[in-house]
Amino acid sequence: MRIQRFTVGMGLLVAATALFLVFYFQLYRGGSANEPRIAVMLKSTNVRSDFWQTVREGAVAGVKGSGARLEVMGSLQDTDAAAQVRLLEDVLLRKPEALVVAPIEDAGVRKVLARIREAGIKLVVMDMPTDPDLDAVTLSSNYAEAGREAGEIAVAETAGAPRVAVLSDYESSSVSAERVKGIREAIDANENSFVGTFYSENDEDRAYVLATNLLSSEPDMNAIIALSEPAALGAAKAVEEAGKQNVVKLIAFDSSLYEIKLMEEGSLSAMIVQRPFNMGYLGVRTALKLIDRKPVPRMTYIDSIVVTRDNMYSPENQKLLFPFR
């Protein structure tokens, strides 16, 4: 059954809002106007995005007691590179002491970030693999390790005989490429284990079509690893319609309410879940250290958690899955 995520009224409201708002902005004051300013740029400030709202909460917690002022901003959509470029240009004009940013993968974004660093603004990059061209301190999930975890689950769920297809988002995504690399490291010791990587472009309907075709053309396929929420939802619908919930294991990344519902129903075998609060908190604390000229590591990995039906109700995982409850 297709999961309906927006009512018509909500869709009209969001569309109307988008006509008037380019970005969402909040200012958190922790001191006087002479205190250092830290800008935090999220990939998205959509209030429906639990992940980025939790990153924001971590950033707000990170600035408390420091005396610094925190400015949180971001485009409405996490793929709107043009909006992020405009916001970065504004950061360059206002010149805060530090910028903590989750960049959208785009050449224009990279160019402005290079100019920001050259202007002497301390730069902390979140939620992407290390990039030597940016020359920035980076805090990120270990995407290859998370991929290995997903691959290991696929091996275990298929009794050591995996035949895995990966539903990715965009071929250009370095995050997804790292995850696929980790998946392959986990499953390639098994003969004929990899069906291929297929790109749904963050579209649930496209993921559904891809999964439906795979279920038909690859009858021995016994696992699908979905690297995004739309891919997971589309694949779940296809598997359910084919009546193969007990044959094809579905493993997903992220932890939306819709994915949690699929896990409760038994459609998902596991979710690989990041720690967004930690990312926001450590991003701001790292920026504060850079402002104070204290040493910081060039790369900090934030571990992911494997959530299954067996452990999803533990207190720690409930807090991770439902951060605003």
Side-chain angles (χ1 to χ4, degrees):
M1 180 181 66
R2 181 179 177 82
I3 299 174
Q4 299 295 332
R5 288 176 289 173
F6 298 96
T7 64
V8 173
M10 180 61 73
L12 292 173
L13 177 61
V14 171
T17 303
L19 293 174
F20 298 97
L21 298 179
V22 176
F23 61 89
Y24 173 93
F25 176 92
Q26 281 185 289
L27 175 66
Y28 299 90
R29 295 184 180 275
S32 71
N34 294 323
E35 296 295 344
R37 294 168 298 143
I38 300 174
V40 174
M41 187 167 298
L42 310 175
K43 279 185 181 175
S44 170
T45 53
N46 191 328
V47 294
R48 295 181 64 86
S49 172
D50 287 348
F51 183 90
W52 291 111
Q53 288 299 307
T54 306
V55 174
R56 179 183 63 83
E57 290 297 321
V60 172
V63 81
K64 287 180 179 176
S66 69
R69 290 185 296 158
L70 188 69
E71 300 170 348
V72 182
M73 65 197 76
S75 55
L76 290 173
Q77 301 298 325
D78 62 9
T79 56
D80 192 347
Q84 190 172 76
V85 166
R86 291 194 294 272
L87 291 169
L88 288 169
E89 292 281 4
D90 186 58
V91 168
L92 190 56
L93 288 174
R94 291 186 291 106
K95 292 199 69 172
E97 280 68 27
L99 169 66
V100 182
V101 57
I104 296 171
E105 294 195 55
D106 175 80
V109 169
R110 290 172 183 270
K111 287 180 181 178
V112 184
L113 287 176
R115 290 166 54 204
I116 285 172
R117 180 176 51 78
E118 290 166 2
I121 299 170
K122 306 299 184 184
L123 185 60
V124 179
V125 171
M126 302 184 294
D127 197 45
M128 70 177 295
T130 184
D131 187 340
D133 293 336
L134 286 179
D135 189 27
V137 171
T138 302
L139 296 107
S140 174
S141 297
N142 189 331
Y143 300 109
E145 177 59 29
R148 276 190 291 272
E149 290 174 333
E152 289 168 359
I153 294 166
V155 172
E157 289 287 318
T158 58
R163 180 82 173 129
V164 179
V166 175
L167 287 186
S168 185
D169 43 15
Y170 296 97
E171 192 169 1
S172 61
S173 170
S174 59
V175 169
S176 295
E178 285 292 299
R179 286 172 172 170
V180 173
K181 176 183 174 183
I183 291 167
R184 295 295 302 271
E185 289 175 359
I187 70 173
D188 277 356
N190 304 276
E191 186 177 354
N192 199 31
S193 61
F194 190 60
V195 176
T197 303
F198 305 88
Y199 300 96
S200 63
E201 299 179 356
N202 260 4
D203 184 275
E204 182 181 334
D205 291 333
R206 182 173 174 80
Y208 165 74
V209 171
L210 288 170
T212 298
N213 292 339
L214 283 167
L215 290 165
S216 174
S217 63
E218 300 288 343
D220 59 345
M221 181 181 68
N222 56 15
I224 296 175
I225 299 178
L227 303 189
S228 67
E229 177 196 1
L233 300 183
K237 178 187 175 185
V239 170
E240 181 181 351
E241 286 187 357
K244 292 190 173 182
Q245 297 96 318
N246 296 323
V247 177
V248 178
K249 305 300 181 181
L250 181 57
I251 300 154
F253 283 75
D254 301 328
S255 59
S256 73
L257 292 176
Y258 311 105
E259 289 174 302
I260 293 168
K261 184 174 185 294
L262 289 173
M263 177 164 284
E264 289 176 333
E265 294 171 349
S267 298
L268 273 183
S269 296
M271 296 184 297
I272 313 300
V273 183
Q274 299 183 77
R275 294 179 180 267
F277 185 93
N278 294 23
M279 188 178 297
Y281 180 87
L282 291 174
V284 167
R285 300 307 295 183
T286 299
L288 288 167
K289 288 181 180 179
L290 288 173
I291 292 170
D292 291 339
R293 301 184 181 278
K294 294 179 180 178
V296 298
R298 297 294 294 174
M299 166 60 82
T300 298
Y301 285 120
I302 301 170
D303 64 325
S304 299
I305 299 296
V306 177
V307 178
T308 66
R309 289 190 74 190
D310 292 335
N311 67 17
M312 69 182 296
Y313 298 111
S314 70
E316 179 184 4
N317 286 343
Q318 283 287 289
K319 186 175 180 180
L320 186 64
L321 296 176
F322 301 102
F324 302 114
R325 176 175 287 182

mmCIF file of all heavy atoms in Angstrom, residues 91 127 162 184 226 235 243 284:
data_model
loop_
_atom_site.group_PDB
_atom_site.id
_atom_site.type_symbol
_atom_site.label_atom_id
_atom_site.label_comp_id
_atom_site.label_asym_id
_atom_site.label_seq_id
_atom_site.Cartn_x
_atom_site.Cartn_y
_atom_site.Cartn_z
ATOM 1 N N VAL A 91 26.551 34.882 3.729
ATOM 2 C CA VAL A 91 27.502 34.610 4.810
ATOM 3 C C VAL A 91 28.829 35.307 4.533
ATOM 4 O O VAL A 91 29.443 35.905 5.422
ATOM 5 C CB VAL A 91 27.711 33.087 4.972
ATOM 6 C CG1 VAL A 91 28.908 32.799 5.892
ATOM 7 C CG2 VAL A 91 26.460 32.428 5.521
ATOM 8 N N ASP A 127 28.490 16.203 7.143
ATOM 9 C CA ASP A 127 27.640 15.325 6.343
ATOM 10 C C ASP A 127 28.123 15.133 4.920
ATOM 11 O O ASP A 127 27.334 15.092 3.984
ATOM 12 C CB ASP A 127 26.196 15.844 6.336
ATOM 13 C CG ASP A 127 25.206 14.773 5.874
ATOM 14 O OD1 ASP A 127 25.318 13.632 6.338
ATOM 15 O OD2 ASP A 127 24.332 15.088 5.049
ATOM 16 N N PRO A 162 23.983 -13.951 -0.192
ATOM 17 C CA PRO A 162 23.282 -12.748 -0.631
ATOM 18 C C PRO A 162 23.283 -12.583 -2.148
ATOM 19 O O PRO A 162 24.229 -12.964 -2.836
ATOM 20 C CB PRO A 162 24.095 -11.624 0.023
ATOM 21 C CG PRO A 162 25.489 -12.183 0.100
ATOM 22 C CD PRO A 162 25.298 -13.646 0.409
ATOM 23 N N ARG A 184 29.824 -3.401 -1.002
ATOM 24 C CA ARG A 184 30.565 -4.366 -1.820
ATOM 25 C C ARG A 184 31.652 -5.069 -1.007
ATOM 26 O O ARG A 184 31.897 -6.277 -1.174
ATOM 27 C CB ARG A 184 31.202 -3.665 -3.025
ATOM 28 C CG ARG A 184 30.216 -3.077 -4.030
ATOM 29 C CD ARG A 184 29.394 -4.147 -4.720
ATOM 30 N NE ARG A 184 30.174 -5.136 -5.430
ATOM 31 C CZ ARG A 184 30.550 -5.023 -6.707
ATOM 32 N NH1 ARG A 184 30.206 -3.938 -7.415
ATOM 33 N NH2 ARG A 184 31.236 -5.977 -7.287
ATOM 34 N N ALA A 226 18.384 0.039 0.281
ATOM 35 C CA ALA A 226 17.916 1.347 -0.181
ATOM 36 C C ALA A 226 18.700 2.439 0.546
ATOM 37 O O ALA A 226 18.701 2.481 1.775
ATOM 38 C CB ALA A 226 16.421 1.487 0.081
ATOM 39 N N ALA A 235 10.704 0.691 -2.877
ATOM 40 C CA ALA A 235 11.052 -0.732 -2.872
ATOM 41 C C ALA A 235 10.082 -1.531 -2.014
ATOM 42 O O ALA A 235 9.689 -2.644 -2.382
ATOM 43 C CB ALA A 235 12.481 -0.912 -2.377
ATOM 44 N N GLY A 243 4.401 -9.866 -3.250
ATOM 45 C CA GLY A 243 4.217 -10.901 -2.245
ATOM 46 C C GLY A 243 5.509 -11.562 -1.809
ATOM 47 O O GLY A 243 5.530 -12.740 -1.459
ATOM 48 N N VAL A 284 29.367 22.684 16.015
ATOM 49 C CA VAL A 284 29.491 23.982 16.664
ATOM 50 C C VAL A 284 30.643 23.990 17.669
ATOM 51 O O VAL A 284 31.409 24.965 17.745
ATOM 52 C CB VAL A 284 28.162 24.358 17.350
ATOM 53 C CG1 VAL A 284 28.347 25.555 18.292
ATOM 54 C CG2 VAL A 284 27.106 24.676 16.302
#
